Amino acid sequence: MMGDGQVSMGSIVVKPNAKKIRKIFPKISDNKDDTSDKNGVTLVGFAGSTADAFTLLERLESKLDEYPGQLTRSCVELAKGWRTDKYLRRLEASLLVADSKKSFELTGNGDVLESHDGVLAVGSGSPYALAAARALLGIPELSSEEVAKRAMDIASDMCVYTNKNFMVETMIAEDDVSTSTGENNL
């Protein structure tokens, strides 16, 4: 998962190096340095209002604790609450959520979207990054991380609300473990 660092208010950049990607660790794990999925690490990226995104991150974390090892169910339960709760319904953010098996985009419309090709994007530059990533997927010598980097580079060249202060969080996708190449990280 990769994100830029730009936070804007209207046409003004207020912060160029925001951390828009987080790791959520299950409550049962005390070792925050161990990022292997056997400990249930979930990656979360966000776009939109920062305060709203953090509210949703807290809710997602509680759903992951309520339904350990069930990312799909946790995301669906969060989306249901987000859509039906009077307070949550007004939140202006989008989330990308991934573990070693699945990845989803969550929206305030109640959507829990799983990509058909493994590529998801949120935020102002997402249409550019998504199109570029899909075009680059056909180049077999590029790792997922390199595809993401090049796609974000293209998006940052086209979108004034996207900068080049990229942050990357990776994990080995479960189906990639069997290939033992480690090339196709999320």
Side-chain angles (χ1 to χ4, degrees), residues 45 50 57 62 68 70 87 95 102 127 152 157 162 165 167 169 174 184:
T50 306
L57 285 172
S62 71
Q70 299 179 57
Y87 166 72
L95 300 178
K102 295 190 180 260
M152 286 293 294
D157 287 340
T162 305
N165 290 339
M167 177 184 182
E169 291 287 352
E174 191 171 273
N184 294 321

Side-chain angles (χ1 to χ4, degrees), residues 98-152:
D99 66 9
S100 68
K101 299 174 202 135
K102 295 190 180 260
S103 51
F104 300 102
E105 177 182 350
L106 308 179
T107 72
N109 296 328
D111 298 321
V112 179
L113 305 170
E114 185 175 15
S115 175
H116 67 281
D117 59 5
V119 180
L120 292 168
V122 294
S124 302
S126 66
Y128 312 109
L130 186 63
R134 286 185 171 151
L136 294 166
L137 282 177
I139 304 172
E141 54 272 359
L142 293 180
S143 69
S144 295
E145 189 173 339
E146 184 60 29
V147 167
K149 166 90 171 74
R150 289 183 182 191
M152 286 293 294

Side-chain angles (χ1 to χ4, degrees), residues 19-180:
K19 184 178 176 189
K20 299 179 186 178
I21 301 173
R22 302 279 192 269
K23 286 183 181 179
I24 297 178
F25 295 88
K27 276 187 178 177
I28 55 173
S29 175
D30 292 326
N31 185 1
K32 302 285 187 199
D33 295 327
D34 186 357
T35 59
S36 62
D37 189 58
K38 67 180 180 270
N39 288 327
V41 174
T42 303
L43 296 179
V44 182
F46 68 88
S49 168
T50 306
D52 292 354
F54 281 116
T55 299
L56 293 167
L57 285 172
E58 287 174 7
R59 298 280 179 136
L60 176 62
E61 193 166 10
S62 71
K63 294 298 180 190
L64 289 167
D65 289 339
E66 187 176 346
Y67 306 109
Q70 299 179 57
L71 182 65
T72 304
R73 183 170 184 190
S74 299
C75 290
V76 168
E77 293 298 323
L78 174 65
K80 283 175 16 184
W82 191 356
R83 178 77 174 144
T84 58
D85 184 275
K86 198 177 207 179
Y87 166 72
L88 293 179
R89 196 176 325 154
R90 296 188 176 122
L91 297 181
E92 298 286 332
S94 295
L95 300 178
L96 292 181
V97 182
D99 66 9
S100 68
K101 299 174 202 135
K102 295 190 180 260
S103 51
F104 300 102
E105 177 182 350
L106 308 179
T107 72
N109 296 328
D111 298 321
V112 179
L113 305 170
E114 185 175 15
S115 175
H116 67 281
D117 59 5
V119 180
L120 292 168
V122 294
S124 302
S126 66
Y128 312 109
L130 186 63
R134 286 185 171 151
L136 294 166
L137 282 177
I139 304 172
E141 54 272 359
L142 293 180
S143 69
S144 295
E145 189 173 339
E146 184 60 29
V147 167
K149 166 90 171 74
R150 289 183 182 191
M152 286 293 294
D153 213 25
I154 290 167
S156 67
D157 287 340
M158 298 179 78
C159 178
V160 296
Y161 298 106
T162 305
N163 70 15
K164 294 185 185 289
N165 290 339
F166 303 140
M167 177 184 182
V168 179
E169 291 287 352
T170 62
M171 70 172 69
I172 306 267
E174 191 171 273
D175 58 336
D176 293 335
V177 174
S178 63
T179 64
S180 72

